[in-house]
Amino acid sequence: MLTAFALAAALVSDPVAAPVVLPSEPAPLHGTLLTPGGGTRAAALIIAGSGPTDRDGNSPLGVSAASYRLLAEGLAAHGVATVRTDKRGVGASAFAAGREEDLRFTTYADDTRAWAAETARLTGQPCAWLIGHSEGALVALAAVARDDTAVCGLVLLSGAGRPAGVVLREQLANVPEPWLGQSLAILSELEAGRTVAEVPPQLAALFRPSVQPYMISWLPLDPAELVAAYDGPVMIGQGTTDIQVGVVDAEAMAAARPDAALKIWEGVNHLLKVAPADRAANAATYADPNLPLAAGVVDDVAGFILGRR
């Protein structure tokens, strides 16, 4: 005999995935709407991190953990509909890229505002939550700095809490000379708003001239200042075995917004999965789509969103 809980679960159908398209120039942007089978209680837009990260959280740069797909599926089980998208220039949104030298951080913030309004419209909700992961957390903060009318609130996961230049200097600390000194010199020029024409081939992946205008638009942004200026509800989530940003970043944002919900997940890495502190073993999880999200991540995000409806 079915219990009442089992009967209710049996009556709830699987979530429904549907492609969604957002008009844009020079080409449309594309994503996936995942609608809960048992009805929508809230809606959220999942904002991808840096680089060529697609709607599922995967990247040709060695990431196939599918963290965003897993997050969307987990939230659907709680009644939270999600839109997750291919960034401009990535996946099905490849033709929307334009020239790299024309890209600015505000481009992603503008796209986020447009997607938030579309997410609310598609789901019949009055507003959409922004769930920003990694650099997507800063994109979310930049988006609401200009207009938050379509946004319910922010969920900031594995996001830097300090300006990018501070974090980059930490990440560059193990680069050998002479590349370290050259990297720091280029970074200082970009922070001052000046491009650098001559970049050693070994540093082109980070500092190539075509990406420098984007970096100049990104480096002045201070996540702590932005989160302090936003007056909507905020959740900050951070794992203790994240090898890209750290608990210090979450604490920096939480200090700027003492009323924010701060969740620190023990033994959880940048991709929101259980991982050891050892760098090699930690990095191995980046290529494992079968490894689930860490226990508590989905429940904490869903609980925060649904607790503020």
Side-chain angles (χ1 to χ4, degrees), residues 20-25 28-29 45 47 83 85 88 106-122 128 130 139 142-144 146-151:
V20 289
V21 180
L22 183 70
S24 176
E25 294 295 338
L29 302 173
L45 171 68
I47 307 166
V83 169
T85 71
R88 187 175 292 270
T106 52
T107 306
Y108 291 135
D110 292 342
D111 289 345
T112 292
R113 284 191 295 274
W115 272 120
E118 182 67 359
T119 299
R121 186 189 72 81
L122 288 168
L130 300 186
V139 173
V144 297
R146 291 180 59 185
D147 180 12
D148 63 356
T149 54
V151 176

PDB file of all heavy atoms in Angstrom, residues 20-25 28-29 45 47 83 85 88 106-122 128 130 139 142-144 146-151:
ATOM      1  N   VAL A  20      14.582  27.537 -25.245  1.00  0.00           N
ATOM      2  CA  VAL A  20      14.110  28.919 -25.227  1.00  0.00           C
ATOM      3  C   VAL A  20      15.108  29.780 -25.993  1.00  0.00           C
ATOM      4  O   VAL A  20      16.310  29.490 -26.022  1.00  0.00           O
ATOM      5  CB  VAL A  20      13.924  29.446 -23.795  1.00  0.00           C
ATOM      6  CG1 VAL A  20      12.725  28.789 -23.141  1.00  0.00           C
ATOM      7  CG2 VAL A  20      15.160  29.227 -22.945  1.00  0.00           C
ATOM      8  N   VAL A  21      14.584  30.828 -26.611  1.00  0.00           N
ATOM      9  CA  VAL A  21      15.402  31.712 -27.449  1.00  0.00           C
ATOM     10  C   VAL A  21      15.147  33.149 -27.034  1.00  0.00           C
ATOM     11  O   VAL A  21      14.002  33.556 -26.830  1.00  0.00           O
ATOM     12  CB  VAL A  21      15.068  31.524 -28.941  1.00  0.00           C
ATOM     13  CG1 VAL A  21      15.926  32.462 -29.796  1.00  0.00           C
ATOM     14  CG2 VAL A  21      15.281  30.079 -29.373  1.00  0.00           C
ATOM     15  N   LEU A  22      16.216  33.928 -26.906  1.00  0.00           N
ATOM     16  CA  LEU A  22      16.113  35.335 -26.551  1.00  0.00           C
ATOM     17  C   LEU A  22      16.648  36.167 -27.716  1.00  0.00           C
ATOM     18  O   LEU A  22      17.814  36.013 -28.112  1.00  0.00           O
ATOM     19  CB  LEU A  22      16.931  35.627 -25.291  1.00  0.00           C
ATOM     20  CG  LEU A  22      16.873  37.053 -24.750  1.00  0.00           C
ATOM     21  CD1 LEU A  22      15.484  37.339 -24.159  1.00  0.00           C
ATOM     22  CD2 LEU A  22      17.944  37.275 -23.687  1.00  0.00           C
ATOM     23  N   PRO A  23      15.839  37.047 -28.299  1.00  0.00           N
ATOM     24  CA  PRO A  23      16.335  37.893 -29.392  1.00  0.00           C
ATOM     25  C   PRO A  23      17.539  38.718 -28.958  1.00  0.00           C
ATOM     26  O   PRO A  23      17.581  39.240 -27.837  1.00  0.00           O
ATOM     27  CB  PRO A  23      15.132  38.780 -29.720  1.00  0.00           C
ATOM     28  CG  PRO A  23      13.941  38.013 -29.242  1.00  0.00           C
ATOM     29  CD  PRO A  23      14.414  37.290 -28.011  1.00  0.00           C
ATOM     30  N   SER A  24      18.513  38.822 -29.830  1.00  0.00           N
ATOM     31  CA  SER A  24      19.730  39.560 -29.524  1.00  0.00           C
ATOM     32  C   SER A  24      20.446  39.869 -30.824  1.00  0.00           C
ATOM     33  O   SER A  24      20.146  39.284 -31.873  1.00  0.00           O
ATOM     34  CB  SER A  24      20.628  38.721 -28.601  1.00  0.00           C
ATOM     35  OG  SER A  24      21.853  39.373 -28.349  1.00  0.00           O
ATOM     36  N   GLU A  25      21.380  40.789 -30.769  1.00  0.00           N
ATOM     37  CA  GLU A  25      22.236  41.106 -31.914  1.00  0.00           C
ATOM     38  C   GLU A  25      23.674  40.741 -31.576  1.00  0.00           C
ATOM     39  O   GLU A  25      24.105  40.935 -30.439  1.00  0.00           O
ATOM     40  CB  GLU A  25      22.139  42.594 -32.258  1.00  0.00           C
ATOM     41  CG  GLU A  25      20.780  43.027 -32.764  1.00  0.00           C
ATOM     42  CD  GLU A  25      20.417  42.400 -34.096  1.00  0.00           C
ATOM     43  OE1 GLU A  25      21.343  41.975 -34.831  1.00  0.00           O
ATOM     44  OE2 GLU A  25      19.213  42.310 -34.398  1.00  0.00           O
ATOM     45  N   PRO A  28      20.520  35.443 -32.015  1.00  0.00           N
ATOM     46  CA  PRO A  28      19.791  35.122 -30.781  1.00  0.00           C
ATOM     47  C   PRO A  28      20.640  34.357 -29.776  1.00  0.00           C
ATOM     48  O   PRO A  28      21.621  33.703 -30.120  1.00  0.00           O
ATOM     49  CB  PRO A  28      18.623  34.265 -31.283  1.00  0.00           C
ATOM     50  CG  PRO A  28      18.522  34.517 -32.738  1.00  0.00           C
ATOM     51  CD  PRO A  28      19.917  34.823 -33.200  1.00  0.00           C
ATOM     52  N   LEU A  29      20.211  34.446 -28.501  1.00  0.00           N
ATOM     53  CA  LEU A  29      20.784  33.647 -27.429  1.00  0.00           C
ATOM     54  C   LEU A  29      19.865  32.472 -27.141  1.00  0.00           C
ATOM     55  O   LEU A  29      18.644  32.571 -27.298  1.00  0.00           O
ATOM     56  CB  LEU A  29      20.948  34.496 -26.168  1.00  0.00           C
ATOM     57  CG  LEU A  29      21.813  35.745 -26.311  1.00  0.00           C
ATOM     58  CD1 LEU A  29      21.761  36.585 -25.031  1.00  0.00           C
ATOM     59  CD2 LEU A  29      23.253  35.388 -26.645  1.00  0.00           C
ATOM     60  N   LEU A  45      17.090  32.069 -12.810  1.00  0.00           N
ATOM     61  CA  LEU A  45      18.011  32.063 -13.944  1.00  0.00           C
ATOM     62  C   LEU A  45      19.385  31.661 -13.424  1.00  0.00           C
ATOM     63  O   LEU A  45      19.899  32.277 -12.488  1.00  0.00           O
ATOM     64  CB  LEU A  45      18.077  33.458 -14.578  1.00  0.00           C
ATOM     65  CG  LEU A  45      19.150  33.674 -15.648  1.00  0.00           C
ATOM     66  CD1 LEU A  45      18.842  32.851 -16.893  1.00  0.00           C
ATOM     67  CD2 LEU A  45      19.263  35.170 -15.989  1.00  0.00           C
ATOM     68  N   ILE A  47      23.280  31.576 -13.950  1.00  0.00           N
ATOM     69  CA  ILE A  47      24.240  32.381 -14.700  1.00  0.00           C
ATOM     70  C   ILE A  47      25.604  31.708 -14.641  1.00  0.00           C
ATOM     71  O   ILE A  47      26.154  31.470 -13.566  1.00  0.00           O
ATOM     72  CB  ILE A  47      24.332  33.800 -14.121  1.00  0.00           C
ATOM     73  CG1 ILE A  47      22.932  34.421 -14.016  1.00  0.00           C
ATOM     74  CG2 ILE A  47      25.234  34.671 -14.983  1.00  0.00           C
ATOM     75  CD1 ILE A  47      22.905  35.671 -13.160  1.00  0.00           C
ATOM     76  N   VAL A  83      15.821  28.651 -15.914  1.00  0.00           N
ATOM     77  CA  VAL A  83      16.376  28.828 -17.253  1.00  0.00           C
ATOM     78  C   VAL A  83      17.885  28.826 -17.101  1.00  0.00           C
ATOM     79  O   VAL A  83      18.433  29.523 -16.236  1.00  0.00           O
ATOM     80  CB  VAL A  83      15.893  30.139 -17.907  1.00  0.00           C
ATOM     81  CG1 VAL A  83      16.697  30.439 -19.175  1.00  0.00           C
ATOM     82  CG2 VAL A  83      14.410  30.055 -18.237  1.00  0.00           C
ATOM     83  N   THR A  85      21.441  28.980 -19.634  1.00  0.00           N
ATOM     84  CA  THR A  85      21.690  29.459 -20.991  1.00  0.00           C
ATOM     85  C   THR A  85      23.110  29.196 -21.466  1.00  0.00           C
ATOM     86  O   THR A  85      24.041  29.067 -20.666  1.00  0.00           O
ATOM     87  CB  THR A  85      21.430  30.978 -21.069  1.00  0.00           C
ATOM     88  OG1 THR A  85      22.463  31.674 -20.352  1.00  0.00           O
ATOM     89  CG2 THR A  85      20.072  31.338 -20.468  1.00  0.00           C
ATOM     90  N   ARG A  88      26.740  34.147 -24.505  1.00  0.00           N
ATOM     91  CA  ARG A  88      27.054  34.759 -25.793  1.00  0.00           C
ATOM     92  C   ARG A  88      28.400  34.217 -26.295  1.00  0.00           C
ATOM     93  O   ARG A  88      29.419  34.315 -25.602  1.00  0.00           O
ATOM     94  CB  ARG A  88      27.111  36.270 -25.612  1.00  0.00           C
ATOM     95  CG  ARG A  88      27.261  37.086 -26.865  1.00  0.00           C
ATOM     96  CD  ARG A  88      27.186  38.553 -26.546  1.00  0.00           C
ATOM     97  NE  ARG A  88      25.851  38.926 -26.100  1.00  0.00           N
ATOM     98  CZ  ARG A  88      24.871  39.329 -26.919  1.00  0.00           C
ATOM     99  NH1 ARG A  88      25.087  39.396 -28.221  1.00  0.00           N
ATOM    100  NH2 ARG A  88      23.691  39.673 -26.422  1.00  0.00           N
ATOM    101  N   THR A 106      29.750  44.518 -19.064  1.00  0.00           N
ATOM    102  CA  THR A 106      28.363  44.972 -19.092  1.00  0.00           C
ATOM    103  C   THR A 106      27.525  44.211 -20.108  1.00  0.00           C
ATOM    104  O   THR A 106      26.296  44.150 -19.968  1.00  0.00           O
ATOM    105  CB  THR A 106      28.289  46.472 -19.403  1.00  0.00           C
ATOM    106  OG1 THR A 106      29.045  46.745 -20.593  1.00  0.00           O
ATOM    107  CG2 THR A 106      28.832  47.305 -18.253  1.00  0.00           C
ATOM    108  N   THR A 107      28.164  43.618 -21.115  1.00  0.00           N
ATOM    109  CA  THR A 107      27.429  42.818 -22.092  1.00  0.00           C
ATOM    110  C   THR A 107      26.737  41.656 -21.395  1.00  0.00           C
ATOM    111  O   THR A 107      25.551  41.386 -21.627  1.00  0.00           O
ATOM    112  CB  THR A 107      28.369  42.282 -23.184  1.00  0.00           C
ATOM    113  OG1 THR A 107      29.097  43.361 -23.764  1.00  0.00           O
ATOM    114  CG2 THR A 107      27.587  41.540 -24.273  1.00  0.00           C
ATOM    115  N   TYR A 108      27.464  40.958 -20.520  1.00  0.00           N
ATOM    116  CA  TYR A 108      26.875  39.830 -19.799  1.00  0.00           C
ATOM    117  C   TYR A 108      25.820  40.303 -18.803  1.00  0.00           C
ATOM    118  O   TYR A 108      24.808  39.623 -18.592  1.00  0.00           O
ATOM    119  CB  TYR A 108      27.972  39.052 -19.063  1.00  0.00           C
ATOM    120  CG  TYR A 108      28.925  38.312 -19.971  1.00  0.00           C
ATOM    121  CD1 TYR A 108      30.297  38.351 -19.756  1.00  0.00           C
ATOM    122  CD2 TYR A 108      28.455  37.567 -21.049  1.00  0.00           C
ATOM    123  CE1 TYR A 108      31.178  37.669 -20.586  1.00  0.00           C
ATOM    124  CE2 TYR A 108      29.333  36.887 -21.884  1.00  0.00           C
ATOM    125  CZ  TYR A 108      30.696  36.941 -21.652  1.00  0.00           C
ATOM    126  OH  TYR A 108      31.553  36.266 -22.475  1.00  0.00           O
ATOM    127  N   ALA A 109      26.037  41.456 -18.188  1.00  0.00           N
ATOM    128  CA  ALA A 109      25.039  41.995 -17.260  1.00  0.00           C
ATOM    129  C   ALA A 109      23.755  42.352 -18.004  1.00  0.00           C
ATOM    130  O   ALA A 109      22.642  42.089 -17.520  1.00  0.00           O
ATOM    131  CB  ALA A 109      25.597  43.215 -16.541  1.00  0.00           C
ATOM    132  N   ASP A 110      23.892  42.944 -19.195  1.00  0.00           N
ATOM    133  CA  ASP A 110      22.713  43.276 -20.002  1.00  0.00           C
ATOM    134  C   ASP A 110      21.967  42.008 -20.418  1.00  0.00           C
ATOM    135  O   ASP A 110      20.728  41.960 -20.373  1.00  0.00           O
ATOM    136  CB  ASP A 110      23.130  44.052 -21.251  1.00  0.00           C
ATOM    137  CG  ASP A 110      23.653  45.451 -20.930  1.00  0.00           C
ATOM    138  OD1 ASP A 110      23.383  45.947 -19.816  1.00  0.00           O
ATOM    139  OD2 ASP A 110      24.330  46.040 -21.796  1.00  0.00           O
ATOM    140  N   ASP A 111      22.718  40.983 -20.836  1.00  0.00           N
ATOM    141  CA  ASP A 111      22.083  39.712 -21.204  1.00  0.00           C
ATOM    142  C   ASP A 111      21.337  39.116 -20.020  1.00  0.00           C
ATOM    143  O   ASP A 111      20.237  38.563 -20.168  1.00  0.00           O
ATOM    144  CB  ASP A 111      23.140  38.714 -21.697  1.00  0.00           C
ATOM    145  CG  ASP A 111      23.722  39.080 -23.055  1.00  0.00           C
ATOM    146  OD1 ASP A 111      23.130  39.929 -23.760  1.00  0.00           O
ATOM    147  OD2 ASP A 111      24.779  38.516 -23.407  1.00  0.00           O
ATOM    148  N   THR A 112      21.919  39.222 -18.847  1.00  0.00           N
ATOM    149  CA  THR A 112      21.295  38.666 -17.640  1.00  0.00           C
ATOM    150  C   THR A 112      19.977  39.358 -17.338  1.00  0.00           C
ATOM    151  O   THR A 112      18.977  38.695 -17.004  1.00  0.00           O
ATOM    152  CB  THR A 112      22.256  38.793 -16.446  1.00  0.00           C
ATOM    153  OG1 THR A 112      23.375  37.925 -16.668  1.00  0.00           O
ATOM    154  CG2 THR A 112      21.579  38.425 -15.135  1.00  0.00           C
ATOM    155  N   ARG A 113      19.940  40.678 -17.436  1.00  0.00           N
ATOM    156  CA  ARG A 113      18.682  41.385 -17.191  1.00  0.00           C
ATOM    157  C   ARG A 113      17.605  40.966 -18.183  1.00  0.00           C
ATOM    158  O   ARG A 113      16.446  40.761 -17.820  1.00  0.00           O
ATOM    159  CB  ARG A 113      18.903  42.895 -17.238  1.00  0.00           C
ATOM    160  CG  ARG A 113      19.570  43.455 -15.991  1.00  0.00           C
ATOM    161  CD  ARG A 113      19.511  44.973 -15.971  1.00  0.00           C
ATOM    162  NE  ARG A 113      20.297  45.517 -17.072  1.00  0.00           N
ATOM    163  CZ  ARG A 113      21.608  45.743 -16.995  1.00  0.00           C
ATOM    164  NH1 ARG A 113      22.261  45.460 -15.880  1.00  0.00           N
ATOM    165  NH2 ARG A 113      22.255  46.253 -18.014  1.00  0.00           N
ATOM    166  N   ALA A 114      17.998  40.814 -19.445  1.00  0.00           N
ATOM    167  CA  ALA A 114      17.029  40.399 -20.460  1.00  0.00           C
ATOM    168  C   ALA A 114      16.534  38.978 -20.200  1.00  0.00           C
ATOM    169  O   ALA A 114      15.334  38.685 -20.309  1.00  0.00           O
ATOM    170  CB  ALA A 114      17.653  40.506 -21.851  1.00  0.00           C
ATOM    171  N   TRP A 115      17.444  38.079 -19.831  1.00  0.00           N
ATOM    172  CA  TRP A 115      17.053  36.703 -19.537  1.00  0.00           C
ATOM    173  C   TRP A 115      16.192  36.631 -18.274  1.00  0.00           C
ATOM    174  O   TRP A 115      15.268  35.818 -18.193  1.00  0.00           O
ATOM    175  CB  TRP A 115      18.287  35.819 -19.365  1.00  0.00           C
ATOM    176  CG  TRP A 115      18.828  35.188 -20.609  1.00  0.00           C
ATOM    177  CD1 TRP A 115      20.070  35.347 -21.149  1.00  0.00           C
ATOM    178  CD2 TRP A 115      18.148  34.262 -21.473  1.00  0.00           C
ATOM    179  NE1 TRP A 115      20.204  34.587 -22.279  1.00  0.00           N
ATOM    180  CE2 TRP A 115      19.047  33.911 -22.498  1.00  0.00           C
ATOM    181  CE3 TRP A 115      16.871  33.697 -21.473  1.00  0.00           C
ATOM    182  CZ2 TRP A 115      18.715  33.018 -23.519  1.00  0.00           C
ATOM    183  CZ3 TRP A 115      16.527  32.807 -22.487  1.00  0.00           C
ATOM    184  CH2 TRP A 115      17.444  32.480 -23.494  1.00  0.00           C
ATOM    185  N   ALA A 116      16.467  37.464 -17.278  1.00  0.00           N
ATOM    186  CA  ALA A 116      15.657  37.453 -16.053  1.00  0.00           C
ATOM    187  C   ALA A 116      14.216  37.820 -16.372  1.00  0.00           C
ATOM    188  O   ALA A 116      13.271  37.172 -15.890  1.00  0.00           O
ATOM    189  CB  ALA A 116      16.243  38.415 -15.024  1.00  0.00           C
ATOM    190  N   ALA A 117      14.021  38.858 -17.179  1.00  0.00           N
ATOM    191  CA  ALA A 117      12.670  39.256 -17.558  1.00  0.00           C
ATOM    192  C   ALA A 117      11.984  38.154 -18.360  1.00  0.00           C
ATOM    193  O   ALA A 117      10.789  37.867 -18.165  1.00  0.00           O
ATOM    194  CB  ALA A 117      12.713  40.548 -18.367  1.00  0.00           C
ATOM    195  N   GLU A 118      12.747  37.500 -19.244  1.00  0.00           N
ATOM    196  CA  GLU A 118      12.169  36.425 -20.051  1.00  0.00           C
ATOM    197  C   GLU A 118      11.845  35.210 -19.194  1.00  0.00           C
ATOM    198  O   GLU A 118      10.832  34.529 -19.414  1.00  0.00           O
ATOM    199  CB  GLU A 118      13.135  36.050 -21.168  1.00  0.00           C
ATOM    200  CG  GLU A 118      12.641  34.976 -22.127  1.00  0.00           C
ATOM    201  CD  GLU A 118      11.454  35.413 -22.984  1.00  0.00           C
ATOM    202  OE1 GLU A 118      10.975  36.554 -22.836  1.00  0.00           O
ATOM    203  OE2 GLU A 118      11.007  34.592 -23.811  1.00  0.00           O
ATOM    204  N   THR A 119      12.689  34.909 -18.215  1.00  0.00           N
ATOM    205  CA  THR A 119      12.426  33.788 -17.304  1.00  0.00           C
ATOM    206  C   THR A 119      11.130  34.007 -16.534  1.00  0.00           C
ATOM    207  O   THR A 119      10.301  33.099 -16.396  1.00  0.00           O
ATOM    208  CB  THR A 119      13.602  33.611 -16.325  1.00  0.00           C
ATOM    209  OG1 THR A 119      14.788  33.313 -17.059  1.00  0.00           O
ATOM    210  CG2 THR A 119      13.332  32.487 -15.334  1.00  0.00           C
ATOM    211  N   ALA A 120      10.936  35.216 -16.028  1.00  0.00           N
ATOM    212  CA  ALA A 120       9.697  35.531 -15.312  1.00  0.00           C
ATOM    213  C   ALA A 120       8.489  35.395 -16.247  1.00  0.00           C
ATOM    214  O   ALA A 120       7.456  34.834 -15.872  1.00  0.00           O
ATOM    215  CB  ALA A 120       9.777  36.939 -14.737  1.00  0.00           C
ATOM    216  N   ARG A 121       8.634  35.884 -17.462  1.00  0.00           N
ATOM    217  CA  ARG A 121       7.521  35.815 -18.416  1.00  0.00           C
ATOM    218  C   ARG A 121       7.180  34.368 -18.771  1.00  0.00           C
ATOM    219  O   ARG A 121       5.999  33.972 -18.768  1.00  0.00           O
ATOM    220  CB  ARG A 121       7.872  36.579 -19.691  1.00  0.00           C
ATOM    221  CG  ARG A 121       6.713  36.691 -20.693  1.00  0.00           C
ATOM    222  CD  ARG A 121       7.172  37.251 -22.021  1.00  0.00           C
ATOM    223  NE  ARG A 121       7.982  36.303 -22.773  1.00  0.00           N
ATOM    224  CZ  ARG A 121       7.477  35.307 -23.504  1.00  0.00           C
ATOM    225  NH1 ARG A 121       6.157  35.119 -23.564  1.00  0.00           N
ATOM    226  NH2 ARG A 121       8.284  34.499 -24.174  1.00  0.00           N
ATOM    227  N   LEU A 122       8.192  33.580 -19.047  1.00  0.00           N
ATOM    228  CA  LEU A 122       7.962  32.197 -19.459  1.00  0.00           C
ATOM    229  C   LEU A 122       7.314  31.360 -18.362  1.00  0.00           C
ATOM    230  O   LEU A 122       6.555  30.431 -18.649  1.00  0.00           O
ATOM    231  CB  LEU A 122       9.295  31.553 -19.866  1.00  0.00           C
ATOM    232  CG  LEU A 122       9.919  32.025 -21.181  1.00  0.00           C
ATOM    233  CD1 LEU A 122      11.355  31.518 -21.286  1.00  0.00           C
ATOM    234  CD2 LEU A 122       9.098  31.568 -22.380  1.00  0.00           C
ATOM    235  N   ALA A 128      12.270  36.782 -11.272  1.00  0.00           N
ATOM    236  CA  ALA A 128      13.134  35.598 -11.297  1.00  0.00           C
ATOM    237  C   ALA A 128      14.311  35.798 -10.361  1.00  0.00           C
ATOM    238  O   ALA A 128      14.845  36.908 -10.237  1.00  0.00           O
ATOM    239  CB  ALA A 128      13.641  35.342 -12.712  1.00  0.00           C
ATOM    240  N   LEU A 130      18.212  35.280  -9.447  1.00  0.00           N
ATOM    241  CA  LEU A 130      19.472  35.118 -10.168  1.00  0.00           C
ATOM    242  C   LEU A 130      20.384  34.209  -9.353  1.00  0.00           C
ATOM    243  O   LEU A 130      20.720  34.526  -8.212  1.00  0.00           O
ATOM    244  CB  LEU A 130      20.156  36.464 -10.390  1.00  0.00           C
ATOM    245  CG  LEU A 130      19.394  37.518 -11.196  1.00  0.00           C
ATOM    246  CD1 LEU A 130      20.279  38.734 -11.434  1.00  0.00           C
ATOM    247  CD2 LEU A 130      18.864  36.952 -12.497  1.00  0.00           C
ATOM    248  N   VAL A 139      28.470  38.731 -12.323  1.00  0.00           N
ATOM    249  CA  VAL A 139      27.544  39.159 -13.381  1.00  0.00           C
ATOM    250  C   VAL A 139      26.183  39.495 -12.778  1.00  0.00           C
ATOM    251  O   VAL A 139      25.561  40.513 -13.122  1.00  0.00           O
ATOM    252  CB  VAL A 139      27.410  38.069 -14.464  1.00  0.00           C
ATOM    253  CG1 VAL A 139      26.320  38.436 -15.469  1.00  0.00           C
ATOM    254  CG2 VAL A 139      28.737  37.855 -15.189  1.00  0.00           C
ATOM    255  N   ALA A 142      26.415  42.809 -10.996  1.00  0.00           N
ATOM    256  CA  ALA A 142      26.481  43.917 -11.943  1.00  0.00           C
ATOM    257  C   ALA A 142      25.134  44.156 -12.604  1.00  0.00           C
ATOM    258  O   ALA A 142      24.764  45.301 -12.891  1.00  0.00           O
ATOM    259  CB  ALA A 142      27.551  43.638 -12.997  1.00  0.00           C
ATOM    260  N   ALA A 143      24.381  43.079 -12.830  1.00  0.00           N
ATOM    261  CA  ALA A 143      23.068  43.211 -13.474  1.00  0.00           C
ATOM    262  C   ALA A 143      22.110  44.004 -12.602  1.00  0.00           C
ATOM    263  O   ALA A 143      21.423  44.911 -13.074  1.00  0.00           O
ATOM    264  CB  ALA A 143      22.505  41.830 -13.790  1.00  0.00           C
ATOM    265  N   VAL A 144      22.032  43.688 -11.308  1.00  0.00           N
ATOM    266  CA  VAL A 144      21.074  44.373 -10.437  1.00  0.00           C
ATOM    267  C   VAL A 144      21.550  45.767 -10.044  1.00  0.00           C
ATOM    268  O   VAL A 144      20.762  46.573  -9.533  1.00  0.00           O
ATOM    269  CB  VAL A 144      20.746  43.542  -9.179  1.00  0.00           C
ATOM    270  CG1 VAL A 144      20.074  42.242  -9.572  1.00  0.00           C
ATOM    271  CG2 VAL A 144      21.992  43.280  -8.333  1.00  0.00           C
ATOM    272  N   ARG A 146      22.185  48.014 -12.057  1.00  0.00           N
ATOM    273  CA  ARG A 146      21.574  48.947 -12.999  1.00  0.00           C
ATOM    274  C   ARG A 146      20.052  48.852 -13.012  1.00  0.00           C
ATOM    275  O   ARG A 146      19.372  49.854 -13.240  1.00  0.00           O
ATOM    276  CB  ARG A 146      22.124  48.697 -14.402  1.00  0.00           C
ATOM    277  CG  ARG A 146      23.587  49.077 -14.545  1.00  0.00           C
ATOM    278  CD  ARG A 146      24.110  48.819 -15.943  1.00  0.00           C
ATOM    279  NE  ARG A 146      23.361  49.551 -16.955  1.00  0.00           N
ATOM    280  CZ  ARG A 146      23.574  49.417 -18.265  1.00  0.00           C
ATOM    281  NH1 ARG A 146      24.501  48.572 -18.688  1.00  0.00           N
ATOM    282  NH2 ARG A 146      22.875  50.103 -19.132  1.00  0.00           N
ATOM    283  N   ASP A 147      19.513  47.644 -12.784  1.00  0.00           N
ATOM    284  CA  ASP A 147      18.055  47.488 -12.818  1.00  0.00           C
ATOM    285  C   ASP A 147      17.716  46.132 -12.208  1.00  0.00           C
ATOM    286  O   ASP A 147      18.173  45.108 -12.677  1.00  0.00           O
ATOM    287  CB  ASP A 147      17.551  47.555 -14.259  1.00  0.00           C
ATOM    288  CG  ASP A 147      16.041  47.396 -14.356  1.00  0.00           C
ATOM    289  OD1 ASP A 147      15.371  47.455 -13.309  1.00  0.00           O
ATOM    290  OD2 ASP A 147      15.528  47.225 -15.478  1.00  0.00           O
ATOM    291  N   ASP A 148      16.888  46.138 -11.149  1.00  0.00           N
ATOM    292  CA  ASP A 148      16.522  44.876 -10.504  1.00  0.00           C
ATOM    293  C   ASP A 148      15.017  44.639 -10.523  1.00  0.00           C
ATOM    294  O   ASP A 148      14.492  43.859  -9.735  1.00  0.00           O
ATOM    295  CB  ASP A 148      17.045  44.826  -9.067  1.00  0.00           C
ATOM    296  CG  ASP A 148      16.425  45.900  -8.172  1.00  0.00           C
ATOM    297  OD1 ASP A 148      15.641  46.725  -8.684  1.00  0.00           O
ATOM    298  OD2 ASP A 148      16.727  45.914  -6.970  1.00  0.00           O
ATOM    299  N   THR A 149      14.312  45.280 -11.462  1.00  0.00           N
ATOM    300  CA  THR A 149      12.851  45.199 -11.458  1.00  0.00           C
ATOM    301  C   THR A 149      12.336  43.792 -11.740  1.00  0.00           C
ATOM    302  O   THR A 149      11.256  43.429 -11.278  1.00  0.00           O
ATOM    303  CB  THR A 149      12.253  46.170 -12.492  1.00  0.00           C
ATOM    304  OG1 THR A 149      12.847  45.924 -13.784  1.00  0.00           O
ATOM    305  CG2 THR A 149      12.524  47.613 -12.092  1.00  0.00           C
ATOM    306  N   ALA A 150      13.086  42.990 -12.499  1.00  0.00           N
ATOM    307  CA  ALA A 150      12.639  41.631 -12.823  1.00  0.00           C
ATOM    308  C   ALA A 150      13.284  40.586 -11.929  1.00  0.00           C
ATOM    309  O   ALA A 150      13.116  39.392 -12.154  1.00  0.00           O
ATOM    310  CB  ALA A 150      12.943  41.305 -14.292  1.00  0.00           C
ATOM    311  N   VAL A 151      13.998  41.033 -10.891  1.00  0.00           N
ATOM    312  CA  VAL A 151      14.800  40.125 -10.061  1.00  0.00           C
ATOM    313  C   VAL A 151      14.212  40.026  -8.656  1.00  0.00           C
ATOM    314  O   VAL A 151      13.974  41.036  -7.996  1.00  0.00           O
ATOM    315  CB  VAL A 151      16.262  40.613  -9.991  1.00  0.00           C
ATOM    316  CG1 VAL A 151      17.085  39.732  -9.051  1.00  0.00           C
ATOM    317  CG2 VAL A 151      16.876  40.620 -11.393  1.00  0.00           C
TER     318      VAL A 151
END
